Amino acid sequence: MEPVTVVLAELVERHRADTAGDVARYIPELARADPHAFGLAMVSVQGHAYQAGDAAAAFTIQSVSKPFVYSLALSELGLAEVARRVGFEPSGEPFNAISLEAGTGRPANPLINAGAIVTTALIGGDGEAAFERIRDTLSGFAGRRLTVDEDVYRSEAATGDRNRALAYLTLSQGVLERPAQQACDVYFRQCAIEVTAVDLAVMGATLANGGRNPVTGRRVVDADAAGATLSVMATCGMYDHSGEWMLRVGLPAKSGVGGGVCAVSPGQFGVGVFSPPLDPQGNSVRASAVLRELSAELGLHVLRHTERARSPLQAVRTDHGAHHLELLGDLGFAAAEEIVHCVRRLARDQPRPLVTVDLSHVTAVRPIARRLLADCAAGLRARTTVRFVDPAGLVRRPSTDRSDTPGERAERAE
Ligand code: GLN
């Protein structure tokens, strides 16, 4: 199996047994969700996609839609105009709280329900046109045409009195730009858009890539809007759990009561997770646990970032069917993922090419990178010879080497 996929599959297997939490029930249709469904997907800013578990299972996006609609509002109106109606401070309160700023009447931020309804109401056109603009934008982020789960939409429309109350409150404060019922209707439809974990990963990768979808190559929002959106995700994305999330996971993220979470490693990756059982804050239990571990293992915490962001590949030279990859700097997960992708592409070129990976100028190798490179070489053994020039012994022998001892293997896997 492809080495990055193996890492994701292992994470899913490790967290399958966490059965804590319960599916959302306050929207009756969501109570039908399968508590066992569990999917994980990751997409790089080069557009490489990886997945494990039920990453192709469909569920409703719910609050994960909020940052993407915020980025659309920012693109259309600019930050100053949007900020007159919705703030950017973490509320420290639950997603459905009445958090309006004294004096201005603005909801605290665009990721709690009150702020999201106000943000949705900023998108131009009548209700139908506004919804289609929202759907088009979310589809642009996902790189495919997204559809609505009509049953979930109707279920929330029939029971969403608290959201209607929030809409009327913001209307009374003069920050809601539409009739309250219409604003809620567009918001409920937006929340009922169906996605998969893979979609959330592509959507996150588009934010990670400054607003251009790395799979389709199309720009969806401008880079300023993408950056501002990631900022509010970092501070407000997990509601009253946002502070601890930033400390422990360290990735801008957004959860939804459908069980989805989208997390972003800026400039590197988008990650999508799906698992319906929620904790008391309304965040998916397994998604939180798996993202915490993924962030630590792959070294993605944004504030503990010590690796070089630029490509480790200095040059790729090809001479008589032999490829030579010259690397430079520190190799972390992102660097190794890029190298593995490149080596596997070269291995497809022709029968039995020789690929030399030159680590003479590499300064440090993170364990996850060492593992991916070794697994890559081992996995391609039947098709290609992958040779490491490794004077400092940073990667050592690939795990297929017969002289490799179990102790060395364990050390590599740590
Ligand atoms: N549609 C849901 C609501 O407004 C979204 C909430 C969520 O996902 N946290 O209640």
Side-chain angles (χ1 to χ4, degrees):
M1 217 197 301
E2 196 288 327
V4 175
T5 308
V6 175
V7 172
L8 299 189
E10 280 179 10
L11 282 165
V12 165
E13 280 322 304
R14 274 208 292 283
H15 290 278
R16 229 180 241 299
D18 302 355
T19 53
D22 193 14
V23 302
R25 299 191 184 277
Y26 75 99
I27 299 174
E29 195 63 24
L30 292 183
R32 294 156 47 102
D34 173 8
H36 303 293
F38 186 20
L40 173 62
M42 185 172 210
V43 172
S44 76
V45 294
Q46 283 94 21
H48 314 153
Y50 308 95
Q51 56 171 283
D54 305 313
F59 54 96
T60 54
I61 188 166
Q62 299 298 339
S63 288
V64 188
S65 62
K66 294 169 180 173
F68 299 99
V69 175
Y70 185 60
S71 76
L72 170 62
L74 291 174
S75 278
E76 290 198 337
L77 301 169
L79 184 58
E81 198 54 29
V82 173
R84 286 177 46 210
R85 297 172 187 85
V86 55
F88 1 71
E89 298 302 338
S91 66
E93 289 183 305
F95 67 89
N96 56 7
I98 302 168
S99 256
L100 306 181
E101 196 176 69
T104 64
R106 297 184 309 176
N109 67 67
L111 303 185
I112 54 169
N113 287 6
I117 294 167
V118 167
T119 304
T120 292
L122 289 174
I123 308 305
D126 63 13
E128 188 63 32
F131 174 71
E132 288 306 328
R133 276 207 52 62
I134 288 170
R135 187 219 298 256
D136 285 350
T137 302
L138 267 57
S139 298
F141 271 108
R144 72 179 183 99
R145 178 90 185 138
L146 298 175
T147 54
V148 172
D149 182 328
E150 293 294 337
D151 292 337
V152 172
Y153 159 68
R154 277 194 294 270
S155 183
E156 184 164 18
T159 56
D161 290 331
R162 188 176 174 98
N163 282 324
R164 279 188 277 270
L166 289 173
Y168 279 109
L169 269 176
T170 59
L171 188 67
S172 75
Q173 297 289 319
V175 292
L176 189 70
E177 294 288 311
R178 280 181 190 284
Q181 291 278 10
Q182 193 191 77
C184 284
D185 189 67
V186 178
Y187 170 75
F188 294 150
R189 271 183 205 281
Q190 152 195 333
C191 287
I193 287 176
E194 281 185 296
V195 290
T196 66
V198 173
D199 291 327
L200 294 186
V202 178
M203 295 173 85
T206 302
L207 287 178
N209 195 38
R212 187 190 294 279
N213 184 317
V215 177
T216 63
R218 294 220 178 92
R219 174 158 296 285
V220 186
V221 292
D222 61 70
D224 283 348
T229 300
L230 287 175
S231 306
V232 295
M233 287 168 77
T235 50
C236 315
M238 306 301 273
Y239 311 118
D240 39 340
H241 185 62
S242 295
E244 184 171 351
W245 179 269
M246 199 59 204
L247 180 91
R248 296 193 192 280
V249 182
L251 295 174
K254 186 70 209 79
S255 60
V257 291
V261 176
C262 172
V264 180
S265 168
Q268 302 195 99
F269 298 99
V271 183
V273 194
F274 169 52
S275 169
L278 309 177
D279 64 19
Q281 279 98 1
N283 299 319
S284 163
V285 174
R286 281 200 196 95
S288 300
V290 87
L291 281 166
R292 184 167 161 183
E293 201 171 315
L294 179 144
S295 172
E297 192 170 325
L298 278 49
L300 299 181
H301 194 300
V302 288
L303 300 177
R304 295 191 192 155
H305 193 69
T306 53
E307 291 160 16
R308 276 169 210 237
R310 70 193 172 99
S311 170
L313 273 172
Q314 283 301 103
V316 182
R317 275 187 271 282
T318 301
D319 190 14
H320 292 95
H323 305 288
H324 190 94
L325 275 63
E326 219 169 89
L327 311 183
L328 180 75
D330 295 353
L331 301 190
F333 173 73
E337 181 272 336
E338 195 182 334
I339 296 159
V340 165
H341 193 270
C342 177
V343 169
R344 289 174 64 87
R345 184 170 47 77
L346 294 172
R348 277 197 294 272
D349 258 13
Q350 55 185 307
R352 285 211 75 82
L354 171 69
V355 181
T356 305
V357 180
D358 188 346
L359 295 123
S360 314
H361 303 289
V362 166
T363 37
V365 178
R366 178 182 276 275
I368 184 80
R370 190 182 305 143
R371 174 184 159 180
L372 292 184
L373 293 175
D375 286 1
C376 172
L380 292 175
R381 199 170 28 152
R383 281 191 273 157
T384 313
T385 304
V386 180
R387 200 166 61 92
F388 294 103
V389 177
D390 185 14
L394 294 169
V395 181
R396 307 225 192 107
R397 291 178 292 275
S399 51
T400 47
D401 191 323
R402 236 177 276 135
S403 61
D404 195 18
T405 65
E408 284 174 310
R409 229 174 286 141
E411 191 187 322
R412 258 203 309 278
E414 82 208 351

